[in-house]
mmCIF file of all heavy atoms in Angstrom:
data_model
loop_
_atom_site.group_PDB
_atom_site.id
_atom_site.type_symbol
_atom_site.label_atom_id
_atom_site.label_comp_id
_atom_site.label_asym_id
_atom_site.label_seq_id
_atom_site.Cartn_x
_atom_site.Cartn_y
_atom_site.Cartn_z
ATOM 1 N N ARG A 69 89.165 100.768 86.650
ATOM 2 C CA ARG A 69 88.609 99.394 86.570
ATOM 3 C C ARG A 69 87.105 99.369 87.060
ATOM 4 O O ARG A 69 86.272 98.694 86.398
ATOM 5 C CB ARG A 69 89.426 98.475 87.462
ATOM 6 C CG ARG A 69 90.685 97.966 86.816
ATOM 7 C CD ARG A 69 91.436 97.050 87.802
ATOM 8 N NE ARG A 69 92.590 96.458 87.171
ATOM 9 C CZ ARG A 69 92.632 95.356 86.447
ATOM 10 N NH1 ARG A 69 91.527 94.660 86.241
ATOM 11 N NH2 ARG A 69 93.802 94.953 85.914
ATOM 12 N N TYR A 70 86.848 99.983 88.131
ATOM 13 C CA TYR A 70 85.553 99.792 88.768
ATOM 14 C C TYR A 70 84.566 100.960 88.613
ATOM 15 O O TYR A 70 83.537 100.965 89.170
ATOM 16 C CB TYR A 70 85.762 99.579 90.308
ATOM 17 C CG TYR A 70 86.819 98.551 90.596
ATOM 18 C CD1 TYR A 70 87.853 98.834 91.540
ATOM 19 C CD2 TYR A 70 86.873 97.294 89.983
ATOM 20 C CE1 TYR A 70 88.811 97.895 91.844
ATOM 21 C CE2 TYR A 70 87.881 96.363 90.263
ATOM 22 C CZ TYR A 70 88.810 96.713 91.204
ATOM 23 O OH TYR A 70 89.806 95.780 91.471
ATOM 24 N N GLY A 71 84.941 101.893 87.720
ATOM 25 C CA GLY A 71 84.136 103.085 87.601
ATOM 26 C C GLY A 71 82.701 102.829 87.132
ATOM 27 O O GLY A 71 81.748 103.406 87.648
ATOM 28 N N ARG A 72 82.533 101.846 86.254
ATOM 29 C CA ARG A 72 81.161 101.546 85.727
ATOM 30 C C ARG A 72 80.193 101.021 86.825
ATOM 31 O O ARG A 72 79.027 101.275 86.775
ATOM 32 C CB ARG A 72 81.224 100.537 84.559
ATOM 33 C CG ARG A 72 81.957 101.002 83.348
ATOM 34 C CD ARG A 72 81.260 102.188 82.678
ATOM 35 N NE ARG A 72 81.806 102.491 81.371
ATOM 36 C CZ ARG A 72 82.901 103.268 81.222
ATOM 37 N NH1 ARG A 72 83.522 103.819 82.216
ATOM 38 N NH2 ARG A 72 83.360 103.480 79.944
ATOM 39 N N GLN A 73 80.781 100.259 87.759
ATOM 40 C CA GLN A 73 79.898 99.732 88.812
ATOM 41 C C GLN A 73 79.846 100.729 90.007
ATOM 42 O O GLN A 73 78.844 100.770 90.723
ATOM 43 C CB GLN A 73 80.366 98.388 89.352
ATOM 44 C CG GLN A 73 81.634 98.368 90.185
ATOM 45 C CD GLN A 73 82.083 96.984 90.542
ATOM 46 O OE1 GLN A 73 81.768 96.030 89.828
ATOM 47 N NE2 GLN A 73 82.791 96.794 91.663
ATOM 48 N N MET A 74 80.833 101.595 90.154
ATOM 49 C CA MET A 74 80.808 102.589 91.232
ATOM 50 C C MET A 74 79.716 103.640 91.041
ATOM 51 O O MET A 74 79.226 104.225 91.960
ATOM 52 C CB MET A 74 82.144 103.284 91.392
ATOM 53 C CG MET A 74 83.184 102.405 92.034
ATOM 54 S SD MET A 74 84.866 103.149 91.988
ATOM 55 C CE MET A 74 84.559 104.660 92.845
ATOM 56 N N ILE A 75 79.348 103.917 89.712
ATOM 57 C CA ILE A 75 78.296 104.880 89.468
ATOM 58 C C ILE A 75 76.922 104.294 89.616
ATOM 59 O O ILE A 75 75.934 104.993 89.433
ATOM 60 C CB ILE A 75 78.511 105.549 88.114
ATOM 61 C CG1 ILE A 75 78.415 104.532 86.972
ATOM 62 C CG2 ILE A 75 79.854 106.296 88.034
ATOM 63 C CD1 ILE A 75 78.506 105.139 85.580
ATOM 64 N N VAL A 76 76.819 102.971 89.876
ATOM 65 C CA VAL A 76 75.561 102.365 90.207
ATOM 66 C C VAL A 76 75.206 102.780 91.633
ATOM 67 O O VAL A 76 75.977 102.607 92.540
ATOM 68 C CB VAL A 76 75.554 100.871 90.050
ATOM 69 C CG1 VAL A 76 74.278 100.192 90.515
ATOM 70 C CG2 VAL A 76 75.893 100.474 88.612
ATOM 71 N N SER A 77 74.046 103.345 91.876
ATOM 72 C CA SER A 77 73.698 103.904 93.161
ATOM 73 C C SER A 77 73.785 102.957 94.289
ATOM 74 O O SER A 77 74.100 103.312 95.403
ATOM 75 C CB SER A 77 72.248 104.499 93.043
ATOM 76 O OG SER A 77 71.310 103.501 92.749
ATOM 77 N N GLN A 78 73.500 101.630 94.022
ATOM 78 C CA GLN A 78 73.538 100.625 95.102
ATOM 79 C C GLN A 78 74.947 100.340 95.545
ATOM 80 O O GLN A 78 75.148 99.704 96.578
ATOM 81 C CB GLN A 78 72.809 99.342 94.714
ATOM 82 C CG GLN A 78 71.301 99.485 94.563
ATOM 83 C CD GLN A 78 70.883 99.917 93.186
ATOM 84 O OE1 GLN A 78 71.679 100.452 92.463
ATOM 85 N NE2 GLN A 78 69.591 99.695 92.900
ATOM 86 N N VAL A 79 75.942 100.714 94.777
ATOM 87 C CA VAL A 79 77.363 100.489 95.102
ATOM 88 C C VAL A 79 78.010 101.747 95.573
ATOM 89 O O VAL A 79 78.268 101.906 96.757
ATOM 90 C CB VAL A 79 78.099 99.797 93.898
ATOM 91 C CG1 VAL A 79 79.553 99.536 94.278
ATOM 92 C CG2 VAL A 79 77.455 98.531 93.487
ATOM 93 N N GLY A 80 78.327 102.652 94.654
ATOM 94 C CA GLY A 80 78.971 103.895 95.020
ATOM 95 C C GLY A 80 80.382 103.670 95.537
ATOM 96 O O GLY A 80 80.906 102.549 95.508
ATOM 97 N N LEU A 81 80.963 104.798 95.949
ATOM 98 C CA LEU A 81 82.303 104.736 96.474
ATOM 99 C C LEU A 81 82.447 103.886 97.725
ATOM 100 O O LEU A 81 83.359 103.015 97.891
ATOM 101 C CB LEU A 81 82.863 106.139 96.758
ATOM 102 C CG LEU A 81 84.270 106.249 97.455
ATOM 103 C CD1 LEU A 81 85.299 105.588 96.536
ATOM 104 C CD2 LEU A 81 84.567 107.659 97.757
ATOM 105 N N GLN A 82 81.462 104.065 98.662
ATOM 106 C CA GLN A 82 81.495 103.297 99.887
ATOM 107 C C GLN A 82 81.387 101.840 99.622
ATOM 108 O O GLN A 82 82.032 101.007 100.315
ATOM 109 C CB GLN A 82 80.438 103.796 100.862
ATOM 110 C CG GLN A 82 80.600 105.239 101.278
ATOM 111 C CD GLN A 82 81.974 105.490 101.899
ATOM 112 O OE1 GLN A 82 82.421 104.727 102.758
ATOM 113 N NE2 GLN A 82 82.612 106.542 101.467
ATOM 114 N N GLY A 83 80.488 101.459 98.745
ATOM 115 C CA GLY A 83 80.416 100.009 98.419
ATOM 116 C C GLY A 83 81.644 99.439 97.814
ATOM 117 O O GLY A 83 82.008 98.362 98.083
ATOM 118 N N GLN A 84 82.346 100.276 96.950
ATOM 119 C CA GLN A 84 83.568 99.787 96.367
ATOM 120 C C GLN A 84 84.641 99.594 97.445
ATOM 121 O O GLN A 84 85.445 98.684 97.437
ATOM 122 C CB GLN A 84 84.058 100.757 95.351
ATOM 123 C CG GLN A 84 85.203 100.201 94.457
ATOM 124 C CD GLN A 84 84.714 98.978 93.671
ATOM 125 O OE1 GLN A 84 83.727 98.961 93.028
ATOM 126 N NE2 GLN A 84 85.531 97.933 93.772
ATOM 127 N N LEU A 85 84.679 100.489 98.405
ATOM 128 C CA LEU A 85 85.649 100.305 99.512
ATOM 129 C C LEU A 85 85.363 99.103 100.356
ATOM 130 O O LEU A 85 86.264 98.401 100.811
ATOM 131 C CB LEU A 85 85.610 101.596 100.402
ATOM 132 C CG LEU A 85 86.140 102.878 99.790
ATOM 133 C CD1 LEU A 85 85.858 104.086 100.682
ATOM 134 C CD2 LEU A 85 87.625 102.749 99.478
ATOM 135 N N LYS A 86 84.046 98.827 100.559
ATOM 136 C CA LYS A 86 83.668 97.547 101.242
ATOM 137 C C LYS A 86 84.127 96.336 100.471
ATOM 138 O O LYS A 86 84.591 95.364 101.040
ATOM 139 C CB LYS A 86 82.175 97.511 101.465
ATOM 140 C CG LYS A 86 81.647 98.503 102.490
ATOM 141 C CD LYS A 86 80.143 98.410 102.623
ATOM 142 C CE LYS A 86 79.622 99.341 103.660
ATOM 143 N NZ LYS A 86 78.160 99.237 103.813
ATOM 144 N N LEU A 87 83.980 96.395 99.097
ATOM 145 C CA LEU A 87 84.417 95.252 98.330
ATOM 146 C C LEU A 87 85.897 95.059 98.432
ATOM 147 O O LEU A 87 86.408 93.930 98.572
ATOM 148 C CB LEU A 87 84.049 95.494 96.843
ATOM 149 C CG LEU A 87 82.544 95.311 96.516
ATOM 150 C CD1 LEU A 87 82.294 95.879 95.071
ATOM 151 C CD2 LEU A 87 82.132 93.885 96.608
ATOM 152 N N ARG A 88 86.687 96.170 98.440
ATOM 153 C CA ARG A 88 88.135 96.074 98.500
ATOM 154 C C ARG A 88 88.594 95.494 99.850
ATOM 155 O O ARG A 88 89.591 94.735 99.900
ATOM 156 C CB ARG A 88 88.790 97.403 98.284
ATOM 157 C CG ARG A 88 90.324 97.284 98.190
ATOM 158 C CD ARG A 88 90.971 98.616 97.804
ATOM 159 N NE ARG A 88 90.866 99.618 98.858
ATOM 160 C CZ ARG A 88 91.514 100.776 98.839
ATOM 161 N NH1 ARG A 88 92.249 101.091 97.719
ATOM 162 N NH2 ARG A 88 91.408 101.649 99.793
ATOM 163 N N SER A 89 87.850 95.750 100.926
ATOM 164 C CA SER A 89 88.236 95.263 102.210
ATOM 165 C C SER A 89 87.647 93.898 102.554
ATOM 166 O O SER A 89 87.994 93.293 103.576
ATOM 167 C CB SER A 89 87.830 96.265 103.320
ATOM 168 O OG SER A 89 86.445 96.404 103.352
ATOM 169 N N ALA A 90 86.774 93.412 101.655
ATOM 170 C CA ALA A 90 86.105 92.106 101.973
ATOM 171 C C ALA A 90 87.023 90.915 101.703
ATOM 172 O O ALA A 90 87.856 90.923 100.863
ATOM 173 C CB ALA A 90 84.838 92.025 101.089
ATOM 174 N N LYS A 91 86.749 89.845 102.475
ATOM 175 C CA LYS A 91 87.465 88.589 102.300
ATOM 176 C C LYS A 91 86.413 87.512 102.083
ATOM 177 O O LYS A 91 85.601 87.242 102.935
ATOM 178 C CB LYS A 91 88.322 88.264 103.571
ATOM 179 C CG LYS A 91 89.403 89.306 103.816
ATOM 180 C CD LYS A 91 90.210 88.916 105.081
ATOM 181 C CE LYS A 91 91.328 89.933 105.319
ATOM 182 N NZ LYS A 91 92.102 89.527 106.526
ATOM 183 N N VAL A 92 86.470 86.932 100.889
ATOM 184 C CA VAL A 92 85.471 85.950 100.492
ATOM 185 C C VAL A 92 86.104 84.581 100.205
ATOM 186 O O VAL A 92 87.100 84.526 99.471
ATOM 187 C CB VAL A 92 84.697 86.467 99.217
ATOM 188 C CG1 VAL A 92 83.668 85.397 98.821
ATOM 189 C CG2 VAL A 92 84.004 87.792 99.516
ATOM 190 N N LEU A 93 85.481 83.528 100.732
ATOM 191 C CA LEU A 93 86.002 82.172 100.517
ATOM 192 C C LEU A 93 85.019 81.429 99.619
ATOM 193 O O LEU A 93 83.801 81.377 99.964
ATOM 194 C CB LEU A 93 86.149 81.415 101.826
ATOM 195 C CG LEU A 93 86.536 79.955 101.743
ATOM 196 C CD1 LEU A 93 87.970 79.841 101.139
ATOM 197 C CD2 LEU A 93 86.485 79.251 103.066
ATOM 198 N N LEU A 94 85.459 80.846 98.579
ATOM 199 C CA LEU A 94 84.729 80.026 97.712
ATOM 200 C C LEU A 94 85.140 78.542 97.964
ATOM 201 O O LEU A 94 86.297 78.183 97.704
ATOM 202 C CB LEU A 94 84.883 80.370 96.263
ATOM 203 C CG LEU A 94 84.373 81.715 95.827
ATOM 204 C CD1 LEU A 94 85.509 82.786 95.962
ATOM 205 C CD2 LEU A 94 83.872 81.718 94.356
#
Side-chain angles (χ1 to χ4, degrees):
R69 280 180 176 271
Y70 313 131
R72 296 295 190 275
Q73 72 184 26
M74 287 171 59
I75 60 178
V76 175
S77 60
Q78 289 88 342
V79 180
L81 174 62
Q82 295 306 313
Q84 193 62 51
L85 292 172
K86 289 181 179 180
L87 287 169
R88 187 173 71 171
S89 63
K91 298 179 179 180
V92 178
L93 175 67
L94 295 90

